[in-house]
Amino acid sequence: MLAYFWSREFLLSRTFLWPLFLVNLGGTIYGYIWYESQLIDTLDNHPLWQIVFVPDSPTASLFFTLTLLYFLFPSRNPSAPAKVGRSIIEALAVVCSVKYGIWAVSMILAGAWQGAELNWQHFMLMASHLGMAFEALLFFRFMKAGLAALVVATGWLLLNDTVDYTYGVFPYLADQLDDDLDAVRAFTYGLSFFSFGAAVLVWRFRKKA
């Protein structure tokens, strides 16, 4: 019975995909609302082009939500550009979800370690972000994205990191982490490469399966 719930038959069934899509869609919308104050601050104090680099986690969730639409509404004869677009969106869904899922949990725990107070929202965020990373790796074996798309997606992560820490548009941190910004920056860049490595491992396993 347990094997069935890990099977392609169950995971790609519309009975499972529709609730998963709605949960991710709701989480994505909530995520952008969560970033509202920082988005407003960025619009007021930074060039407009930097706004796209602010909401990291909800954008990762958006990519995965779009990926679920590919499963729900498969195209029988997609054009070459459509295939490339799908591959890049799927690759972004994987590496972004793994990275920011782990990043958010790590930053919450790092702040708590240094004395930041945790509330129910922090625990909710940790559970949802771990779920982001898990579901992305779980579904990657069903995706079309290959190594080239993963490289492109990781390039986006590194660009995002560079913009975040060059122009100060990284996600708000607990006050206790203000004096650890260099370590946070290094950890963030490192997670970009870790996420790429994790995705490549799943990709290699998928090719052998």
Side-chain angles (χ1 to χ4, degrees):
M1 177 63 71
L2 182 60
Y4 171 72
F5 292 107
W6 291 90
S7 68
R8 172 186 290 267
E9 179 184 1
F10 174 74
L11 292 174
L12 295 185
S13 68
R14 298 177 73 83
T15 302
F16 182 74
L17 285 175
W18 270 116
L20 187 64
F21 169 78
L22 294 174
V23 167
N24 277 273
L25 178 62
T28 300
I29 294 170
Y30 177 80
Y32 283 112
I33 294 172
W34 178 273
Y35 272 89
E36 180 181 8
S37 61
Q38 187 172 0
L39 290 169
I40 293 172
D41 179 72
T42 303
L43 286 173
D44 290 341
N45 300 291
H46 294 264
L48 179 62
W49 64 269
Q50 293 178 14
I51 196 73
V52 70
F53 297 98
V54 173
D56 296 332
S57 293
T59 301
S61 178
L62 175 62
F63 288 134
F64 187 76
T65 302
L66 292 174
T67 295
L68 292 176
L69 286 178
Y70 286 120
F71 295 137
L72 283 165
F73 302 101
S75 177
R76 293 184 178 179
N77 296 297
S79 64
K83 290 180 180 179
V84 172
R86 173 175 180 170
S87 293
I88 292 175
I89 288 175
E90 289 179 340
L92 286 166
V94 175
V95 298
C96 292
S97 295
V98 172
K99 175 183 177 172
Y100 294 117
I102 296 173
W103 187 93
V105 174
S106 300
M107 292 303 107
I108 291 171
L109 293 177
W113 180 264
Q114 297 195 36
E117 183 178 353
L118 296 183
N119 57 41
W120 69 268
Q121 288 179 314
H122 291 109
F123 291 102
M124 178 271 292
L125 287 171
M126 286 192 287
S128 61
H129 281 77
L130 286 176
M132 282 173 52
F134 175 76
E135 67 182 4
L137 290 175
L138 178 64
F139 274 84
F140 187 36
R141 57 194 169 121
F142 307 131
M143 298 181 191
K144 305 294 185 182
L147 185 59
L150 290 175
V151 171
V152 172
T154 304
W156 165 259
L157 286 182
L158 294 171
L159 174 62
N160 199 341
D161 296 341
T162 302
V163 172
D164 276 359
Y165 293 95
T166 300
Y167 299 102
V169 292
F170 52 84
Y172 289 154
L173 300 168
D175 293 340
Q176 290 80 359
L177 297 178
D178 286 345
D179 58 349
D180 298 312
L181 190 56
D182 287 343
V184 171
R185 181 191 298 113
F187 178 74
T188 302
Y189 273 102
L191 266 183
S192 292
F193 292 106
F194 172 85
S195 300
F196 172 73
V200 168
L201 285 176
V202 176
W203 174 74
R204 288 175 62 89
F205 172 80
R206 184 185 73 186
K207 287 190 67 178
K208 294 178 180 179

